[in-house]
Amino acid sequence: MITVKQAVTAYRKMNATSLPPLTAVCQALAAIDEQLDASLHHLGQNDERWRDGLLHAQQLMFELMAMTDATSIEGERLLTLYIYANQTLVTASLKADADAVSEVQVIVRNLHTDWQHAQKKQVMPTYI
């Protein structure tokens, strides 16, 4: 018999793989932003949980990297930006550097805004 936790995990995984790519990217960027907010909050409170948010943000960043098609110049540039953001998070984690976390948050928020704009401009096919 499957547990509720297993069912929820399976549903989330299936839901994530069936999302349109732009929706998945926007959701990942929004989740990264939330994790960075939590990290900054915990860091300001000297709460040891601040690294948890950074680790989760890095995992999501890796997912974005895996989704990126680097065969074009634009894709290569985007992948380079994701790599830079991830490396900055590693540095932030090692040095407890709130400024580095904030720098990545600015990048993530700008990307999120840009991807949302692209999503709104996307022409969706109509089905009969």
Side-chain angles (χ1 to χ4, degrees):
M1 176 165 237
I2 189 168
T3 67
V4 173
K5 183 177 180 180
Q6 290 170 325
V8 169
T9 301
Y11 172 77
R12 285 184 179 157
K13 185 174 183 178
M14 187 53 150
N15 187 36
T17 59
S18 64
L19 286 175
L22 282 177
T23 301
V25 169
C26 286
Q27 286 183 358
L29 289 167
I32 291 169
D33 187 29
E34 289 174 15
Q35 292 301 316
L36 296 179
D37 265 344
S39 288
L40 287 170
H41 173 76
H42 292 308
L43 190 57
Q45 302 294 318
N46 289 324
D47 185 333
E48 293 180 12
R49 294 178 293 170
W50 69 270
R51 278 196 173 98
D52 296 341
L54 290 186
L55 290 174
H56 193 221
Q58 285 180 280
Q59 290 170 344
L60 291 166
M61 194 66 69
F62 283 127
E63 288 184 29
L64 288 173
M65 287 182 212
M67 292 174 58
T68 303
D69 179 7
T71 59
S72 67
I73 292 172
E74 294 83 1
E76 189 176 317
R77 288 178 182 162
L78 182 59
L79 183 59
T80 301
L81 187 58
Y82 289 152
I83 291 168
Y84 171 78
N86 186 59
Q87 289 175 340
T88 304
L89 290 177
V90 169
T91 300
S93 180
L94 293 172
K95 297 181 178 182
D97 186 349
D99 290 336
V101 175
S102 295
E103 178 185 354
V104 173
Q105 193 167 40
V106 168
I107 292 169
V108 166
R109 286 178 176 173
N110 286 334
L111 284 170
H112 188 231
T113 299
D114 292 345
W115 279 117
Q116 283 180 316
H117 181 72
Q119 189 178 29
K120 288 177 186 173
K121 296 292 184 181
Q122 185 180 28
V123 176
M124 299 300 289
T126 55
Y127 299 98
I128 299 174

